[in-house]
């Protein structure tokens, strides 16, 4: 049985959400912003990255775990980046026991507050929020 790809599943959740797609279109990426997108920035886009953090399943023998993720939303303006972050939050926190891309996700919750500013390298407007995701480790 294959390992579930939680980042790709989360990207699909966001891409399928009509509100997020209304701002970002198909520009929701797991792992990093593709090089061919950089020339078009700053514009609305979302990047989902794995992050560190404590596992809520530590010490158990579950075939489930929690994964902390960091969500970066970009926009042409700080207002657009923050608006996109809010739409992403709404889409993610509504997930309850759902299978996406063969990945069983039990829940997605904010892992703290949000922040906004500019990308330190490219100076693009962006907003940021972390989430904790409880999911099955193996595909279903």
């Amino acid at each position: 049985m294959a390992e579930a790809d939680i980042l790709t599943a989360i990207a699909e959740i966001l891409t399928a959400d009509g509100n997020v797609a209304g701002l970002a279109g198909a520009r929701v990426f797991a792992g990093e912003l593709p090089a061919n997108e950089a020339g078009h920035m700053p514009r609305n886009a979302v990047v989902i990255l794995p992050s560190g953090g404590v596992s809520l399943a530590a010490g158990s023998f579950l075939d489930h775990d929690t994964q902390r993720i960091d969500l970066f939303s970009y926009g042409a303006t700080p207002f657009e980046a923050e608006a996109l972050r809010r739409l992403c939050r709404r889409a993610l926190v509504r997930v309850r026991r759902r299978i996406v891309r063969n990945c069983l996700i039990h829940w997605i919750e904010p892992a703290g507050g949000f922040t906004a500013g500019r990308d330190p390298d490219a100076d693009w407007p962006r907003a940021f929020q972390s989430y904790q995701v409880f999911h099955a480790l193996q595909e279903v």
Side-chain angles (χ1 to χ4, degrees):
M1 189 170 277
E3 180 105 5
D5 183 352
I6 189 62
L7 294 181
T8 302
I10 292 170
E12 185 167 308
I13 290 166
L14 293 172
T15 302
D17 183 84
N19 293 317
V20 173
L23 285 184
R27 292 182 304 278
V28 177
F29 308 103
E32 67 180 352
L33 186 72
N36 62 345
E37 282 292 318
H40 302 287
M41 296 296 282
R43 67 179 180 175
N44 293 340
V46 177
V47 178
I48 303 147
L49 299 168
S51 182
V54 176
S55 169
L56 298 180
S60 74
F61 295 100
L62 295 173
D63 259 350
H64 287 64
D65 205 352
T66 53
Q67 172 63 52
R68 185 173 162 152
I69 62 158
D70 292 338
L71 182 140
F72 293 91
S73 58
Y74 294 90
T77 66
F79 178 82
E80 288 180 8
E82 173 54 19
L84 183 53
R85 184 208 58 82
R86 288 192 309 270
L87 292 174
C88 290
R89 182 190 190 286
R90 185 178 305 152
L92 294 178
V93 300
R94 290 181 176 169
V95 173
R96 292 291 181 266
R97 195 152 169 82
R98 189 163 143 198
I99 297 173
V100 181
R101 294 188 60 93
N102 297 323
C103 181
L104 172 59
I105 302 171
H106 293 279
W107 48 258
I108 303 173
E109 293 291 335
F114 67 92
T115 186
R118 291 192 174 264
D119 180 280
D121 296 321
D123 202 37
W124 300 328
R126 76 174 183 188
F128 163 86
Q129 188 159 16
S130 292
Y131 296 86
Q132 192 84 339
V133 183
F134 184 50
H135 67 97
L137 294 173
Q138 302 297 317
E139 286 186 342
V140 295

